[in-house]
Amino acid sequence: MLLTIALGLWGIRRKNTMWGDESVTYQLAHRDLSQIWLTAQHVDLVHALHYAVMHELFGLFGAGLMTLRLPSVLAMSAAASAVGLLGLRLAGPRVGLLAGLVFPLLPQVQKYTQEGRSYAMVCALVAWATYALVVGVTRHARWRWAVYGCTMLLASLLHEFAVLALVAHGVTLVVSRVPRPVLRAWGVAAAGVVAGLLPLAIRSAEQSAQVSWIDVPVRLPEFLAAAVVGVACALAPVAARGPVRLPVLAVPIIVLPCLLLLIASLVKPLFVDRYVLYSNIGIALLVGAGMDHFHQMRKSSRNAAVAGVAAVAVLAALVLTGLWLRTPQSRSNDVTAIGATVRKVGRTGDGLLYLSGQHRIWTAANPEDTRFLRDLALAQDPVSSNTLAGVELPAPDIAARMLEFDRIVAVRSAGAHSPTNPQEEAKTSTLRRHFREYGTTHVNGARVTVYVRDHDPSPKAGPGSNSPGASGGVR
Protein backbone atom coordinates (compact mmCIF):
# COMPACT_ATOMS: atom_id res chain seq x y z
CA MET A 1 0.00 0.00 0.00
CA LEU A 2 2.75 2.45 0.92
CA LEU A 3 4.70 1.70 -2.26
CA THR A 4 1.58 2.29 -4.36
CA ILE A 5 0.89 5.60 -2.65
CA ALA A 6 4.51 6.68 -3.15
CA LEU A 7 4.47 5.77 -6.85
CA GLY A 8 1.07 7.37 -7.26
CA LEU A 9 2.18 10.68 -5.77
CA TRP A 10 5.40 10.69 -7.81
CA GLY A 11 4.73 13.08 -10.72
CA ILE A 12 0.98 12.94 -10.18
CA ARG A 13 0.42 16.33 -11.86
CA ARG A 14 2.12 15.24 -15.10
CA LYS A 15 3.48 18.76 -15.56
CA ASN A 16 0.02 20.19 -14.82
CA THR A 17 -1.52 18.58 -17.90
CA MET A 18 -4.71 16.65 -18.50
CA TRP A 19 -5.86 14.39 -21.30
CA GLY A 20 -9.26 14.09 -22.98
CA ASP A 21 -11.00 11.46 -20.85
CA GLU A 22 -9.85 13.13 -17.65
CA SER A 23 -11.12 16.43 -19.02
CA VAL A 24 -14.58 14.87 -19.38
CA THR A 25 -14.49 13.76 -15.74
CA TYR A 26 -13.34 17.23 -14.71
CA GLN A 27 -16.15 18.95 -16.63
CA LEU A 28 -18.95 16.58 -15.60
CA ALA A 29 -17.92 16.69 -11.94
CA HIS A 30 -18.47 20.45 -12.00
CA ARG A 31 -22.14 19.97 -12.89
CA ASP A 32 -24.69 19.36 -10.14
CA LEU A 33 -26.09 15.87 -9.59
CA SER A 34 -29.30 16.54 -11.49
CA GLN A 35 -27.32 17.74 -14.52
CA ILE A 36 -25.07 14.68 -14.33
CA TRP A 37 -28.15 12.47 -14.34
CA LEU A 38 -29.73 14.29 -17.28
CA THR A 39 -26.48 14.16 -19.24
CA ALA A 40 -26.16 10.44 -18.56
CA GLN A 41 -29.48 9.88 -20.29
CA HIS A 42 -27.79 10.94 -23.53
CA VAL A 43 -24.17 9.96 -23.10
CA ASP A 44 -21.67 8.32 -20.69
CA LEU A 45 -24.27 6.50 -18.60
CA VAL A 46 -21.65 3.87 -17.79
CA HIS A 47 -19.59 6.52 -15.97
CA ALA A 48 -22.44 8.38 -14.26
CA LEU A 49 -21.73 6.95 -10.80
CA HIS A 50 -18.08 7.93 -11.03
CA TYR A 51 -19.00 11.48 -12.08
CA ALA A 52 -21.34 11.73 -9.09
CA VAL A 53 -18.60 10.55 -6.73
CA MET A 54 -16.14 13.06 -8.18
CA HIS A 55 -18.75 15.83 -7.94
CA GLU A 56 -18.98 15.24 -4.19
CA LEU A 57 -15.20 15.10 -3.82
CA PHE A 58 -14.82 18.35 -5.75
CA GLY A 59 -17.36 19.90 -3.41
CA LEU A 60 -15.44 18.74 -0.33
CA PHE A 61 -11.84 19.31 -1.41
CA GLY A 62 -12.04 21.70 -4.35
CA ALA A 63 -11.56 21.05 -8.03
CA GLY A 64 -8.00 20.47 -9.20
CA LEU A 65 -5.61 17.86 -10.53
CA MET A 66 -4.88 16.47 -7.06
CA THR A 67 -8.56 16.00 -6.27
CA LEU A 68 -9.09 14.53 -9.74
CA ARG A 69 -6.34 11.91 -9.45
CA LEU A 70 -5.81 11.25 -5.75
CA PRO A 71 -8.90 8.97 -5.47
CA SER A 72 -7.29 6.68 -8.04
CA VAL A 73 -4.04 6.64 -6.06
CA LEU A 74 -5.86 5.66 -2.87
CA ALA A 75 -8.02 3.11 -4.69
CA MET A 76 -5.03 1.42 -6.28
CA SER A 77 -3.23 1.33 -2.94
CA ALA A 78 -6.27 -0.51 -1.55
CA ALA A 79 -6.05 -2.91 -4.50
CA ALA A 80 -2.36 -3.53 -3.77
CA SER A 81 -3.16 -4.41 -0.16
CA ALA A 82 -5.83 -6.86 -1.34
CA VAL A 83 -3.34 -8.47 -3.72
CA GLY A 84 -0.88 -8.87 -0.86
CA LEU A 85 -3.53 -10.46 1.35
CA LEU A 86 -4.57 -12.81 -1.45
CA GLY A 87 -0.98 -13.96 -1.89
CA LEU A 88 -0.64 -14.41 1.88
CA ARG A 89 -3.82 -16.50 2.16
CA LEU A 90 -3.20 -18.61 -0.94
CA ALA A 91 0.56 -19.22 -0.82
CA GLY A 92 2.15 -17.74 2.27
CA PRO A 93 3.65 -14.46 3.52
CA ARG A 94 6.59 -14.28 1.09
CA VAL A 95 4.37 -14.70 -1.97
CA GLY A 96 1.96 -12.15 -0.49
CA LEU A 97 4.76 -9.65 0.02
CA LEU A 98 6.21 -10.17 -3.46
CA ALA A 99 2.83 -10.04 -5.22
CA GLY A 100 1.87 -6.91 -3.31
CA LEU A 101 5.14 -5.22 -4.31
CA VAL A 102 4.94 -6.35 -7.95
CA PHE A 103 1.40 -5.06 -8.42
CA PRO A 104 2.08 -1.27 -8.19
CA LEU A 105 5.16 -1.68 -10.43
CA LEU A 106 3.19 -3.09 -13.36
CA PRO A 107 3.08 -0.46 -16.15
CA GLN A 108 -0.71 -0.59 -16.56
CA VAL A 109 -1.21 -0.16 -12.83
CA GLN A 110 1.23 2.76 -12.67
CA LYS A 111 -0.59 4.46 -15.53
CA TYR A 112 -4.12 4.24 -14.17
CA THR A 113 -3.06 4.95 -10.61
CA GLN A 114 -2.68 8.54 -11.85
CA GLU A 115 -5.77 8.69 -14.02
CA GLY A 116 -8.85 10.74 -13.15
CA ARG A 117 -11.20 7.97 -14.25
CA SER A 118 -13.02 5.05 -12.61
CA TYR A 119 -10.65 2.22 -13.56
CA ALA A 120 -8.53 2.23 -10.40
CA MET A 121 -11.66 2.16 -8.23
CA VAL A 122 -13.01 -0.76 -10.25
CA CYS A 123 -9.71 -2.61 -9.86
CA ALA A 124 -9.75 -2.09 -6.08
CA LEU A 125 -13.32 -3.31 -5.73
CA VAL A 126 -12.66 -6.41 -7.85
CA ALA A 127 -9.51 -7.14 -5.82
CA TRP A 128 -11.39 -6.99 -2.53
CA ALA A 129 -14.32 -8.94 -3.95
CA THR A 130 -11.82 -11.63 -4.97
CA TYR A 131 -10.45 -11.67 -1.43
CA ALA A 132 -14.00 -11.96 -0.07
CA LEU A 133 -14.54 -14.89 -2.45
CA VAL A 134 -11.45 -16.74 -1.18
CA VAL A 135 -12.40 -16.12 2.45
CA GLY A 136 -16.00 -17.15 1.78
CA VAL A 137 -14.89 -20.55 0.51
CA THR A 138 -13.20 -21.43 3.80
CA ARG A 139 -15.47 -19.46 6.15
CA HIS A 140 -18.86 -19.99 4.62
CA ALA A 141 -21.37 -17.43 5.93
CA ARG A 142 -24.22 -15.55 4.27
CA TRP A 143 -22.94 -12.13 5.26
CA ARG A 144 -19.58 -12.81 3.61
CA TRP A 145 -21.29 -13.62 0.32
CA ALA A 146 -23.45 -10.54 0.72
CA VAL A 147 -20.27 -8.47 1.05
CA TYR A 148 -18.87 -10.20 -2.04
CA GLY A 149 -22.01 -9.53 -4.05
CA CYS A 150 -22.30 -5.88 -3.00
CA THR A 151 -18.63 -5.22 -3.78
CA MET A 152 -18.90 -6.80 -7.22
CA LEU A 153 -22.12 -4.91 -7.94
CA LEU A 154 -20.53 -1.59 -7.01
CA ALA A 155 -17.54 -2.37 -9.25
CA SER A 156 -19.89 -3.23 -12.12
CA LEU A 157 -21.91 -0.05 -11.65
CA LEU A 158 -18.69 1.96 -11.89
CA HIS A 159 -17.83 0.12 -15.11
CA GLU A 160 -19.95 -2.62 -16.66
CA PHE A 161 -17.09 -4.83 -17.80
CA ALA A 162 -16.14 -5.52 -14.18
CA VAL A 163 -18.95 -8.09 -14.33
CA LEU A 164 -16.65 -10.28 -16.46
CA ALA A 165 -14.67 -11.01 -13.29
CA LEU A 166 -17.71 -13.00 -12.13
CA VAL A 167 -17.03 -15.51 -14.90
CA ALA A 168 -13.43 -15.90 -13.75
CA HIS A 169 -14.55 -16.37 -10.15
CA GLY A 170 -17.09 -19.00 -11.17
CA VAL A 171 -14.49 -20.98 -13.12
CA THR A 172 -12.12 -20.81 -10.15
CA LEU A 173 -14.75 -22.29 -7.83
CA VAL A 174 -15.70 -25.04 -10.27
CA VAL A 175 -12.08 -26.07 -10.92
CA SER A 176 -11.37 -25.96 -7.17
CA ARG A 177 -14.31 -28.34 -6.59
CA VAL A 178 -15.66 -26.38 -3.68
CA PRO A 179 -18.64 -27.82 -1.76
CA ARG A 180 -22.06 -27.35 -3.32
CA PRO A 181 -23.32 -24.96 -0.62
CA VAL A 182 -20.40 -22.64 -1.42
CA LEU A 183 -21.08 -22.84 -5.15
CA ARG A 184 -24.77 -22.21 -4.51
CA ALA A 185 -24.02 -19.17 -2.34
CA TRP A 186 -21.74 -17.75 -5.04
CA GLY A 187 -24.45 -18.37 -7.63
CA VAL A 188 -26.98 -16.40 -5.60
CA ALA A 189 -24.52 -13.52 -5.15
CA ALA A 190 -23.61 -13.56 -8.85
CA ALA A 191 -27.28 -13.56 -9.85
CA GLY A 192 -27.84 -10.54 -7.61
CA VAL A 193 -24.96 -8.70 -9.30
CA VAL A 194 -26.30 -9.44 -12.78
CA ALA A 195 -29.83 -8.45 -11.78
CA GLY A 196 -28.60 -5.20 -10.25
CA LEU A 197 -26.50 -4.37 -13.32
CA LEU A 198 -29.11 -5.33 -15.93
CA PRO A 199 -31.03 -2.01 -16.03
CA LEU A 200 -27.80 -0.08 -16.53
CA ALA A 201 -26.61 -2.52 -19.19
CA ILE A 202 -29.87 -2.24 -21.15
CA ARG A 203 -29.92 1.58 -21.05
CA SER A 204 -26.22 1.97 -21.83
CA ALA A 205 -26.53 -0.35 -24.84
CA GLU A 206 -28.50 2.46 -26.46
CA GLN A 207 -25.34 4.60 -26.21
CA SER A 208 -23.09 2.05 -27.92
CA ALA A 209 -22.08 4.66 -30.50
CA GLN A 210 -19.76 6.05 -27.82
CA VAL A 211 -17.34 3.18 -28.39
CA SER A 212 -17.45 3.48 -32.17
CA TRP A 213 -13.91 4.91 -32.00
CA ILE A 214 -12.64 1.39 -31.16
CA ASP A 215 -11.81 -0.15 -34.53
CA VAL A 216 -9.12 -2.57 -33.35
CA PRO A 217 -8.20 -3.91 -29.88
CA VAL A 218 -6.50 -1.04 -28.05
CA ARG A 219 -3.09 -1.79 -26.50
CA LEU A 220 -3.68 -5.53 -26.83
CA PRO A 221 0.02 -6.40 -27.49
CA GLU A 222 1.19 -4.70 -24.27
CA PHE A 223 -1.54 -6.41 -22.28
CA LEU A 224 -0.78 -9.81 -23.81
CA ALA A 225 2.93 -9.43 -23.07
CA ALA A 226 2.22 -8.89 -19.37
CA ALA A 227 -0.37 -11.68 -19.37
CA VAL A 228 2.06 -14.15 -20.98
CA VAL A 229 4.68 -13.39 -18.32
CA GLY A 230 2.11 -13.94 -15.61
CA VAL A 231 0.69 -17.16 -17.04
CA ALA A 232 4.22 -18.49 -17.60
CA CYS A 233 4.83 -18.04 -13.89
CA ALA A 234 1.83 -20.30 -13.28
CA LEU A 235 4.06 -23.22 -14.33
CA ALA A 236 6.02 -22.81 -11.10
CA PRO A 237 4.70 -25.07 -8.35
CA VAL A 238 2.92 -23.22 -5.55
CA ALA A 239 2.14 -24.76 -2.20
CA ALA A 240 -1.61 -24.87 -1.58
CA ARG A 241 -2.84 -23.36 1.69
CA GLY A 242 -6.54 -23.99 1.19
CA PRO A 243 -9.13 -25.34 -1.23
CA VAL A 244 -8.38 -22.57 -3.75
CA ARG A 245 -4.91 -22.71 -5.31
CA LEU A 246 -3.23 -19.50 -6.42
CA PRO A 247 -2.88 -20.40 -10.14
CA VAL A 248 -6.49 -21.58 -10.27
CA LEU A 249 -7.57 -18.15 -9.03
CA ALA A 250 -5.08 -16.03 -11.00
CA VAL A 251 -5.13 -17.58 -14.47
CA PRO A 252 -8.91 -17.21 -15.05
CA ILE A 253 -8.92 -13.56 -13.95
CA ILE A 254 -6.10 -12.85 -16.43
CA VAL A 255 -7.45 -14.83 -19.36
CA LEU A 256 -11.25 -14.94 -19.28
CA PRO A 257 -12.27 -11.25 -19.17
CA CYS A 258 -9.79 -10.50 -21.96
CA LEU A 259 -10.95 -13.50 -23.99
CA LEU A 260 -14.63 -12.63 -23.61
CA LEU A 261 -14.03 -9.06 -24.78
CA LEU A 262 -12.04 -10.30 -27.76
CA ILE A 263 -14.82 -12.71 -28.70
CA ALA A 264 -17.35 -9.88 -28.43
CA SER A 265 -15.05 -7.77 -30.61
CA LEU A 266 -15.69 -10.16 -33.50
CA VAL A 267 -19.15 -8.56 -33.64
CA LYS A 268 -18.27 -5.06 -32.39
CA PRO A 269 -14.75 -3.98 -31.33
CA LEU A 270 -14.76 -3.51 -27.55
CA PHE A 271 -11.33 -4.44 -26.23
CA VAL A 272 -9.43 -1.67 -24.47
CA ASP A 273 -6.76 -2.60 -21.95
CA ARG A 274 -8.16 -0.39 -19.19
CA TYR A 275 -11.55 -2.15 -19.37
CA VAL A 276 -9.89 -5.25 -17.90
CA LEU A 277 -7.35 -3.48 -15.72
CA TYR A 278 -8.22 -5.79 -12.84
CA SER A 279 -6.56 -8.65 -14.74
CA ASN A 280 -3.31 -7.28 -13.32
CA ILE A 281 -4.38 -8.76 -9.98
CA GLY A 282 -3.76 -12.22 -11.41
CA ILE A 283 -0.54 -11.16 -13.13
CA ALA A 284 0.91 -9.82 -9.87
CA LEU A 285 -0.06 -12.96 -7.94
CA LEU A 286 1.57 -15.28 -10.47
CA VAL A 287 4.72 -13.18 -10.84
CA GLY A 288 5.03 -13.03 -7.05
CA ALA A 289 4.66 -16.80 -6.83
CA GLY A 290 7.19 -17.29 -9.65
CA MET A 291 9.72 -15.05 -7.92
CA ASP A 292 9.28 -16.99 -4.69
CA HIS A 293 9.82 -20.28 -6.52
CA PHE A 294 12.97 -19.00 -8.18
CA HIS A 295 14.25 -17.78 -4.81
CA GLN A 296 13.78 -21.24 -3.34
CA MET A 297 15.50 -22.93 -6.29
CA ARG A 298 18.71 -20.91 -6.10
CA LYS A 299 21.57 -23.35 -5.45
CA SER A 300 24.68 -21.56 -6.64
CA SER A 301 26.26 -18.13 -6.59
CA ARG A 302 26.09 -18.19 -10.40
CA ASN A 303 22.31 -18.46 -10.29
CA ALA A 304 22.24 -15.69 -7.72
CA ALA A 305 24.35 -13.45 -10.00
CA VAL A 306 22.08 -14.15 -12.98
CA ALA A 307 19.05 -13.39 -10.84
CA GLY A 308 20.65 -10.15 -9.66
CA VAL A 309 21.44 -9.00 -13.21
CA ALA A 310 17.89 -9.88 -14.33
CA ALA A 311 16.39 -8.02 -11.38
CA VAL A 312 18.46 -4.91 -12.12
CA ALA A 313 17.44 -5.03 -15.81
CA VAL A 314 13.76 -5.38 -14.95
CA LEU A 315 13.98 -2.61 -12.36
CA ALA A 316 15.68 -0.29 -14.87
CA ALA A 317 12.96 -1.01 -17.43
CA LEU A 318 10.27 -0.28 -14.86
CA VAL A 319 11.93 2.98 -13.86
CA LEU A 320 12.16 4.11 -17.50
CA THR A 321 8.53 3.13 -18.03
CA GLY A 322 7.55 5.01 -14.89
CA LEU A 323 9.37 8.13 -16.07
CA TRP A 324 7.60 7.95 -19.44
CA LEU A 325 4.16 7.44 -17.88
CA ARG A 326 4.58 10.66 -15.92
CA THR A 327 5.01 12.80 -19.03
CA PRO A 328 2.18 14.40 -21.04
CA GLN A 329 3.32 12.43 -24.12
CA SER A 330 2.35 9.14 -22.45
CA ARG A 331 -1.33 9.91 -23.14
CA SER A 332 -3.02 9.98 -26.53
CA ASN A 333 -3.64 13.72 -26.30
CA ASP A 334 -2.95 16.73 -24.09
CA VAL A 335 -5.98 19.00 -23.75
CA THR A 336 -4.01 21.48 -21.66
CA ALA A 337 -1.57 22.01 -24.53
CA ILE A 338 -4.41 22.12 -27.07
CA GLY A 339 -6.23 24.84 -25.13
CA ALA A 340 -3.03 26.82 -24.60
CA THR A 341 -2.26 26.66 -28.32
CA VAL A 342 -5.71 27.91 -29.27
CA ARG A 343 -5.27 30.81 -26.87
CA LYS A 344 -1.83 31.53 -28.28
CA VAL A 345 -2.65 31.60 -32.00
CA GLY A 346 -6.12 33.11 -31.79
CA ARG A 347 -6.89 36.80 -32.00
CA THR A 348 -9.77 38.48 -30.21
CA GLY A 349 -12.85 38.05 -32.38
CA ASP A 350 -11.54 35.14 -34.46
CA GLY A 351 -13.88 32.33 -35.34
CA LEU A 352 -13.36 28.95 -33.66
CA LEU A 353 -14.17 25.65 -35.33
CA TYR A 354 -13.95 22.06 -34.07
CA LEU A 355 -13.45 19.25 -36.56
CA SER A 356 -15.34 17.29 -35.35
CA GLY A 357 -17.67 18.93 -32.86
CA GLN A 358 -16.88 16.24 -30.28
CA HIS A 359 -13.45 17.81 -29.89
CA ARG A 360 -15.09 20.75 -28.14
CA ILE A 361 -14.44 18.88 -24.88
CA TRP A 362 -10.71 19.44 -25.44
CA THR A 363 -10.92 23.15 -24.61
CA ALA A 364 -13.92 23.16 -22.28
CA ALA A 365 -11.94 22.40 -19.12
CA ASN A 366 -10.45 25.92 -19.19
CA PRO A 367 -12.94 28.37 -20.77
CA GLU A 368 -10.34 31.15 -20.60
CA ASP A 369 -8.52 29.55 -23.54
CA THR A 370 -11.42 30.31 -25.88
CA ARG A 371 -12.99 33.27 -24.13
CA PHE A 372 -12.23 35.81 -26.88
CA LEU A 373 -13.09 33.54 -29.79
CA ARG A 374 -16.51 32.83 -31.27
CA ASP A 375 -17.57 29.20 -31.59
CA LEU A 376 -19.02 29.21 -35.11
CA ALA A 377 -20.94 25.93 -34.97
CA LEU A 378 -22.35 25.99 -31.45
CA ALA A 379 -26.12 26.36 -31.05
CA GLN A 380 -26.43 25.26 -27.40
CA ASP A 381 -23.61 24.88 -24.91
CA PRO A 382 -22.82 21.49 -23.28
CA VAL A 383 -24.21 22.34 -19.83
CA SER A 384 -27.58 23.71 -20.93
CA SER A 385 -28.00 20.91 -23.50
CA ASN A 386 -27.00 18.19 -21.02
CA THR A 387 -24.38 16.84 -23.43
CA LEU A 388 -20.61 16.52 -23.45
CA ALA A 389 -19.90 18.68 -26.50
CA GLY A 390 -23.01 20.80 -26.97
CA VAL A 391 -25.49 20.95 -29.85
CA GLU A 392 -24.38 22.32 -33.22
CA LEU A 393 -26.23 24.49 -35.74
CA PRO A 394 -27.62 23.12 -39.00
CA ALA A 395 -25.06 22.84 -41.80
CA PRO A 396 -26.20 25.94 -43.81
CA ASP A 397 -26.05 28.14 -40.71
CA ILE A 398 -22.52 26.97 -39.91
CA ALA A 399 -21.35 27.78 -43.45
CA ALA A 400 -23.01 31.20 -43.30
CA ARG A 401 -21.34 32.03 -39.99
CA MET A 402 -17.94 30.97 -41.27
CA LEU A 403 -18.22 33.38 -44.21
CA GLU A 404 -18.64 36.26 -41.77
CA PHE A 405 -15.05 35.84 -40.56
CA ASP A 406 -11.68 36.54 -42.11
CA ARG A 407 -9.79 34.30 -39.67
CA ILE A 408 -10.80 30.95 -38.22
CA VAL A 409 -8.93 28.82 -35.71
CA ALA A 410 -9.68 25.15 -36.37
CA VAL A 411 -9.05 22.34 -33.87
CA ARG A 412 -8.85 18.77 -35.14
CA SER A 413 -7.28 15.47 -34.22
CA ALA A 414 -3.77 14.59 -35.37
CA GLY A 415 -5.15 12.12 -37.92
CA ALA A 416 -7.17 12.78 -41.06
CA HIS A 417 -10.64 14.25 -40.57
CA SER A 418 -13.44 12.49 -42.44
CA PRO A 419 -16.83 14.25 -42.40
CA THR A 420 -19.47 12.08 -40.76
CA ASN A 421 -22.55 14.33 -40.96
CA PRO A 422 -23.79 17.42 -42.86
CA GLN A 423 -22.35 19.80 -40.28
CA GLU A 424 -18.85 18.36 -40.64
CA GLU A 425 -19.20 18.38 -44.43
CA ALA A 426 -20.21 22.06 -44.31
CA LYS A 427 -17.17 22.94 -42.20
CA THR A 428 -14.64 21.18 -44.41
CA SER A 429 -16.15 22.27 -47.73
CA THR A 430 -16.40 25.93 -46.66
CA LEU A 431 -12.80 25.95 -45.47
CA ARG A 432 -11.66 24.35 -48.71
CA ARG A 433 -13.54 26.75 -50.99
CA HIS A 434 -13.20 30.08 -49.22
CA PHE A 435 -10.18 29.89 -46.91
CA ARG A 436 -6.55 28.98 -47.11
CA GLU A 437 -4.40 27.46 -44.45
CA TYR A 438 -1.99 29.97 -42.97
CA GLY A 439 -0.29 28.08 -40.16
CA THR A 440 -0.61 24.82 -38.25
CA THR A 441 0.69 24.05 -34.79
CA HIS A 442 1.02 20.39 -33.89
CA VAL A 443 0.43 19.37 -30.29
CA ASN A 444 0.08 15.97 -28.69
CA GLY A 445 -2.93 14.33 -30.33
CA ALA A 446 -4.18 17.37 -32.25
CA ARG A 447 -3.54 20.10 -34.80
CA VAL A 448 -4.52 23.74 -34.38
CA THR A 449 -4.74 25.52 -37.73
CA VAL A 450 -5.29 29.19 -38.56
CA TYR A 451 -7.29 29.74 -41.76
CA VAL A 452 -7.68 33.09 -43.51
CA ARG A 453 -10.08 34.24 -46.25
CA ASP A 454 -8.63 34.20 -49.74
CA HIS A 455 -9.50 37.87 -50.25
CA ASP A 456 -7.19 38.91 -47.38
CA PRO A 457 -3.95 39.86 -49.26
CA SER A 458 -1.62 39.95 -46.27
CA PRO A 459 -2.88 37.97 -43.31
CA LYS A 460 -0.89 38.26 -40.17
CA ALA A 461 -0.50 35.53 -37.67
CA GLY A 462 -1.94 36.06 -34.24
CA PRO A 463 0.22 36.47 -31.18
CA GLY A 464 2.52 33.48 -30.89
CA SER A 465 1.17 31.71 -33.99
CA ASN A 466 3.42 30.12 -36.57
CA SER A 467 4.32 32.06 -39.72
CA PRO A 468 5.69 30.69 -42.99
CA GLY A 469 9.28 29.67 -42.57
CA ALA A 470 9.05 29.56 -38.78
CA SER A 471 9.50 26.44 -36.75
CA GLY A 472 6.57 24.65 -35.14
CA GLY A 473 5.18 22.43 -37.85
CA VAL A 474 3.75 24.92 -40.37
CA ARG A 475 2.77 23.24 -43.61
Side-chain angles (χ1 to χ4, degrees):
M1 179 183 287
L2 293 176
L3 176 61
T4 310
I5 291 175
L7 289 174
L9 294 178
W10 169 37
I12 189 173
R13 291 185 175 276
R14 259 192 338 267
K15 299 181 180 179
N16 292 317
T17 61
M18 188 187 304
W19 82 286
D21 281 11
E22 288 183 305
S23 176
V24 173
T25 302
Y26 185 82
Q27 294 167 49
L28 266 292
H30 276 86
R31 303 184 190 182
D32 61 41
L33 294 178
S34 63
Q35 290 175 320
I36 292 173
W37 174 247
L38 291 172
T39 302
Q41 305 310 301
H42 306 291
V43 65
D44 258 7
L45 181 61
V46 293
H47 296 296
L49 178 58
H50 181 244
Y51 296 148
V53 171
M54 294 307 300
H55 169 81
E56 296 300 327
L57 292 177
F58 277 16
L60 289 172
F61 303 106
L65 285 177
M66 288 297 290
T67 309
L68 180 68
R69 293 175 181 155
L70 194 57
S72 292
V73 175
L74 298 178
M76 205 65 90
S77 68
S81 65
V83 170
L85 288 174
L86 280 167
L88 169 65
R89 179 169 285 274
L90 296 175
R94 189 159 53 201
V95 172
L97 176 64
L98 291 171
L101 293 176
V102 165
F103 180 77
L105 294 174
L106 295 173
Q108 263 196 322
V109 173
Q110 288 196 60
K111 180 176 181 178
Y112 293 105
T113 297
Q114 296 183 331
E115 197 95 327
R117 297 294 277 175
S118 64
Y119 306 109
M121 296 181 186
V122 172
C123 186
L125 289 166
V126 172
W128 279 101
T130 305
Y131 183 73
L133 176 85
V134 172
V135 174
V137 170
T138 54
R139 299 180 183 177
H140 182 54
R142 289 184 179 180
W143 71 268
R144 295 185 187 278
W145 291 107
V147 170
Y148 167 81
C150 290
T151 307
M152 276 303 304
L153 178 59
L154 183 56
S156 301
L157 292 175
L158 279 170
H159 197 278
E160 291 177 12
F161 290 150
V163 76
L164 298 177
L166 278 179
V167 181
H169 291 162
V171 169
T172 294
L173 295 181
V174 171
V175 174
S176 299
R177 298 181 180 180
V178 298
R180 285 193 175 184
V182 172
L183 200 57
R184 192 180 303 115
W186 172 83
V188 171
V193 173
V194 173
L197 181 63
L198 197 58
L200 175 64
I202 293 173
R203 289 295 302 276
S204 63
E206 300 171 3
Q207 301 176 0
S208 60
Q210 276 191 264
V211 292
S212 60
W213 61 272
I214 308 174
D215 51 1
V216 294
V218 179
R219 295 189 180 89
L220 179 60
E222 295 92 330
F223 175 83
L224 289 180
V228 166
V229 171
V231 173
C233 292
L235 301 176
V238 180
R241 292 170 62 95
V244 178
R245 296 182 64 249
L246 187 146
V248 175
L249 176 78
V251 172
I253 207 168
I254 296 173
V255 174
L256 291 178
C258 174
L259 182 62
L260 291 171
L261 274 187
L262 288 174
I263 292 173
S265 295
L266 296 176
V267 178
K268 180 179 178 62
L270 287 173
F271 184 90
V272 181
D273 61 341
R274 56 183 177 267
Y275 293 170
V276 289
L277 179 63
Y278 52 83
S279 294
N280 286 278
I281 297 166
I283 294 173
L285 287 170
L286 289 175
V287 171
M291 292 171 65
D292 178 60
H293 174 69
F294 184 83
H295 172 76
Q296 295 180 29
M297 293 297 293
R298 288 188 309 167
K299 295 181 179 179
S300 68
S301 58
R302 179 182 177 182
N303 287 343
V306 171
V309 171
V312 170
V314 171
L315 185 60
L318 290 172
V319 169
L320 291 175
T321 301
L323 289 170
W324 163 251
L325 289 173
R326 285 156 180 83
T327 64
Q329 292 73 27
S330 64
R331 269 56 176 183
S332 58
N333 54 56
D334 180 357
V335 300
T336 308
I338 295 170
T341 302
V342 170
R343 188 174 188 172
K344 185 178 182 181
V345 304
R347 293 175 179 172
T348 300
D350 281 354
L352 177 62
L353 206 61
Y354 297 92
L355 303 167
S356 70
Q358 294 301 317
H359 296 332
R360 192 169 282 107
I361 63 174
W362 286 352
T363 60
N366 185 11
E368 288 296 315
D369 290 333
T370 58
R371 180 181 175 186
F372 299 107
L373 307 180
R374 182 178 177 186
D375 193 329
L376 301 180
L378 189 64
Q380 192 175 6
D381 67 85
V383 176
S384 63
S385 62
N386 295 311
T387 61
L388 294 183
V391 176
E392 295 202 328
L393 292 164
D397 294 344
I398 295 175
R401 274 195 180 184
M402 291 173 64
L403 295 176
E404 297 173 3
F405 287 76
D406 289 331
R407 280 173 50 97
I408 293 177
V409 178
V411 179
R412 71 186 80 197
S413 63
H417 171 65
S418 301
T420 56
N421 55 47
Q423 286 97 329
E424 298 304 317
E425 177 62 34
K427 296 173 191 177
T428 55
S429 63
T430 305
L431 286 174
R432 184 173 58 251
R433 294 173 184 173
H434 301 283
F435 292 80
R436 61 186 172 86
E437 183 178 328
Y438 181 61
T440 295
T441 302
H442 296 264
V443 294
N444 184 19
R447 292 176 293 158
V448 180
T449 303
V450 176
Y451 287 91
V452 295
R453 287 292 293 271
D454 282 336
H455 63 69
D456 188 349
S458 56
K460 297 179 181 180
S465 65
N466 296 320
S467 57
S471 61
V474 179
R475 297 188 301 171

